[in-house]
Amino acid sequence: RVFRRANALRIVRNWFGAKVLGLVFFCLIWNGFMVVWFGIAITQKQWAMAAFGTIHGAVGIGVAYATLAGFLNNTTITVMNSLLKIVHGPIKWPGNKEFKAEILQQLYTKRHVSHSKNGTSISYELRVTTTDGRDEKLIGGLDKQEQALFMEQEIEEFLGIEDRPIRGEVER
């Protein structure tokens, strides 16, 4: 969703999607297994078995947290009062950022390819270069190139940044 006023631009992207539904399935299986594991370990007083399961239990808690965030969180990009702010919430998540608008040199979209034994996955990142030479990811994990390009164009247009090619960006 895009909200545009004369002095402010806000883009809100909901995290919920097919990946979150996949996480729900994985979370239920993983944590269900861990409940059974700990149930057996505690009722049988197998403390070594329980201790061995703690790392797996911690992974289950992390997956549950990420699943909950996938259902509830949004990423909000706000450009106002000469600031570009990226905020993830309402559940705390890393990646909140803030930039003074005058140091933003160029925004661009980059393809991110991940290889695993299950295959290759492609996602997209919205990135920024700054006048002090930094190159930082603003938002990652976007499923569609069009999402990142749309956000890039909206922000550049609002800030009056002329689009120039950047090495490594996706072709339009």
Side-chain angles (χ1 to χ4, degrees), residues 14-35:
N14 190 311
W15 289 16
F16 184 78
K19 288 181 182 177
V20 175
L21 294 176
L23 267 178
V24 168
F25 178 73
F26 180 77
C27 184
L28 290 173
I29 298 296
W30 186 277
N31 287 319
F33 178 80
M34 292 314 302
V35 166

Side-chain angles (χ1 to χ4, degrees), residues 63-76:
V63 170
Y65 188 87
T67 303
L68 188 61
F71 273 99
L72 300 176
N73 274 13
N74 294 307
T75 295
T76 303

Side-chain angles (χ1 to χ4, degrees), residues 14-159:
N14 190 311
W15 289 16
F16 184 78
K19 288 181 182 177
V20 175
L21 294 176
L23 267 178
V24 168
F25 178 73
F26 180 77
C27 184
L28 290 173
I29 298 296
W30 186 277
N31 287 319
F33 178 80
M34 292 314 302
V35 166
V36 171
W37 179 279
F38 283 114
I40 292 170
I42 291 169
T43 59
Q44 300 291 318
K45 296 184 181 182
Q46 297 292 320
W47 307 121
M49 182 179 169
F52 179 75
T54 56
I55 293 172
H56 297 85
V59 169
I61 291 168
V63 170
Y65 188 87
T67 303
L68 188 61
F71 273 99
L72 300 176
N73 274 13
N74 294 307
T75 295
T76 303
I77 303 168
T78 306
V79 184
M80 185 170 65
N81 299 329
S82 300
L83 288 175
L84 169 70
K85 291 174 94 173
I86 312 286
V87 178
H88 308 291
I91 294 179
K92 287 190 179 276
W93 200 264
N96 293 348
K97 297 183 183 230
E98 188 172 298
F99 295 90
K100 291 182 179 180
E102 69 249 14
I103 71 161
L104 302 177
Q105 192 170 32
Q106 191 66 57
L107 282 87
Y108 70 100
T109 298
K110 184 175 182 177
R111 178 180 290 113
H112 181 75
V113 181
S114 298
H115 302 283
S116 72
K117 64 180 179 180
N118 298 327
T120 301
S121 66
I122 297 173
S123 63
Y124 298 89
E125 299 176 345
L126 177 62
R127 301 188 66 88
V128 65
T129 60
T130 62
T131 56
D132 59 1
R134 289 182 291 154
D135 182 333
E136 291 195 36
K137 177 174 68 171
L138 295 178
I139 300 175
L142 299 168
D143 296 327
K144 296 180 182 171
Q145 178 176 320
E146 295 79 23
Q147 292 173 323
L149 288 171
F150 175 78
M151 289 187 265
E152 173 190 339
Q153 291 167 344
E154 287 291 313
I155 296 166
E156 284 180 340
E157 181 182 314
F158 186 82
L159 291 173

